[in-house]
Structure formats: C-alpha cells, structure tokens
C-alpha cells in the first residue's frame, strides 16, 4: 500500500510540474528536463498497464524502463550544463562539452569494462547502476566547480533540478549497494519501497 501511495503521489507531482510549466510558458525553456519527465510519466503508465493486463511481461518491462531511465538521466545533466552557461556566449557550449566528455570518458574507462566480463545479470545491473551514478556525480561536481570558478549563479530552477537529481542518485546508489550486500532474499521488500520513495522525494524537490 505504501509503495502504491508513493507511486501515485510521484505521478501527481510530475503532472503538476508539467501543467504548471505549460501554463507558465516556460515548458520549452527546459526541453531536456521535461523530455525526461514526460518519458518517466509515459513509461510508468505503460508499465502499469502491463502490470494490470499482461503481468507475465511486467518484470521485463520494469527493467527495460529502469535501464532506459538510467541513460535518460544524462539529459538532466545536459539541461543543467546548458542552463548554467546559456546566458554567456563564450561559455555556451562548455556545459555540454563537460557533460559529454566526462560521460564518454567514464563510460569507456569505468562503466563498460566490467559489463564485458562474465557476471550474473543481477550483479551486472547493480554494477551498472552504481558506476553510472558515480559518473553522473562526477559530472555534477565538475559543472558546479566550473560555475563557481566562472562566478555564475545557478538560479533557483537549476539548483532545484540539481538537488533533486543528487538526492535520487544518492538514495538509489545506496539502495542497490545494500541489495548487493544483503542479497535478494533479505533485502527485497526494502528495495521495492526505497525506489518509489526516492522518486517521490525527487519530484517533491522539483515541485518546490
């Protein structure tokens, strides 16, 4: 019941953020962010329909959605970089270059090599999530350091997007690390709760 309430509340928050942006006329100003948010809402609705009408495919759809969202989170980093340096023509492409450069470098040197080694699927997914989260954390640190060095204020909206993403990555990484440590049998009920809670917290931060 608590998981269902968290999921329902997170979708209500997501819809509220989107409707508010459309009414306020700033939907197009945050294209990467709202693309991610709409994808999150649409794939969640699709997964719910699969769960209700074709439950035998739900596990596959769940992990497919989860892994694509892990990749789509890089769009939020592109949004942060673009908005930080957008008002400054000389630095306009710096955020995107930092994001793409670090993502490619970490993927080649840190994320992909372990995936090429033989591992059980659950171990491979845990490793992918943790390494991907650390990569995104490194990108956020570099973007914030570049903004501080250039004396560029973040602004309320970008600070909120960044804080929400950091909270989500920190909680999710800890959740997967604990699942890896304690095992599926002992940690599964907690694991299933922490995921929706982290999404709800993130969307609550974005709403505020």
């Amino acid at each position: 019941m608590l998981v269902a309430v968290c999921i329902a509340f997170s979708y209500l928050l997501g819809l509220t953020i989107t409707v508010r942006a459309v009414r306020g006329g700033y939907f197009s100003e945050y294209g990467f962010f709202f693309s991610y948010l709409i994808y999150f809402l649409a794939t969640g609705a699709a997964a719910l329909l699969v769960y209700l009408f074709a439950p035998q495919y739900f596990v596959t759809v769940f992990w497919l959605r989860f892994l694509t969202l892990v990749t789509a989170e890089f769009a939020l980093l592109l949004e942060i970089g673009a908005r930080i340096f957008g008002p400054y023509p000389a630095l306009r492409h710096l955020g995107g270059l930092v994001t793409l450069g670090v993502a490619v470098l970490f993927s080649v040197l840190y994320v992909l090599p372990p995936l090429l080694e033989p591992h059980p699927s659950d171990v491979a997914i845990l490793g992918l999530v943790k390494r991907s989260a650390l990569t995104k954390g490194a990108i956020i640190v570099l973007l914030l350091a570049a903004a501080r060095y250039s004396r560029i204020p973040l602004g309320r909206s970008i600070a909120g997007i960044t804080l929400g993403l950091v909270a989500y990555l920190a909680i999710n990484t800890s959740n997967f690390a604990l699942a890896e440590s304690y095992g599926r049998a002992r940690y599964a009920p907690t694991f299933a709760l922490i995921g929706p809670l982290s999404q709800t917290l993130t969307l609550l931060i974005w709403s505020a």
Side-chain angles (χ1 to χ4, degrees), residues 14-33:
L15 290 172
T16 301
I17 295 170
T18 305
V19 171
R20 192 169 61 190
V22 172
R23 289 182 175 178
Y26 55 88
F27 182 88
S28 60
E29 295 180 16
Y30 297 88
F32 288 121
F33 172 75

Side-chain angles (χ1 to χ4, degrees), residues 81 84-85 88 91 94-96 98-99 138-154:
I84 286 176
F85 301 105
Y88 306 89
L91 303 174
L94 180 59
V98 169
T99 300
I139 293 172
I140 291 172
V141 169
L142 287 174
L143 287 173
L144 295 179
R148 182 176 178 82
Y149 178 79
S150 304
R151 297 181 181 179
I152 300 173
L154 288 183

Side-chain angles (χ1 to χ4, degrees), residues 163-183:
L163 178 60
L165 180 59
V166 168
Y168 179 75
L169 292 175
I171 296 172
N172 250 8
T173 303
S174 301
N175 196 31
F176 273 84
L178 290 170
E180 187 177 24
S181 299
Y182 290 108

Side-chain angles (χ1 to χ4, degrees), residues 9-56:
F9 188 50
S10 66
Y11 279 85
L12 178 61
L13 290 172
L15 290 172
T16 301
I17 295 170
T18 305
V19 171
R20 192 169 61 190
V22 172
R23 289 182 175 178
Y26 55 88
F27 182 88
S28 60
E29 295 180 16
Y30 297 88
F32 288 121
F33 172 75
F34 285 108
S35 295
Y36 172 85
L37 186 58
I38 290 172
Y39 180 78
F40 168 81
L41 296 173
T43 55
L48 178 60
L49 292 175
V50 171
Y51 178 77
L52 294 175
F53 299 105
Q56 67 273 22

Side-chain angles (χ1 to χ4, degrees), residues 67-84:
L67 293 175
T68 53
L69 282 173
V70 168
T71 304
E73 286 164 8
F74 283 101
L76 296 178
L77 299 174
L78 289 172
E79 184 74 80
I80 294 169
R83 297 296 298 183
I84 286 176

Side-chain angles (χ1 to χ4, degrees), residues 123-139:
V123 175
I125 290 175
L126 289 171
L128 173 63
V129 170
K130 290 191 297 182
R131 291 170 182 270
S132 174
L134 290 173
T135 300
K136 293 163 190 169
I139 293 172

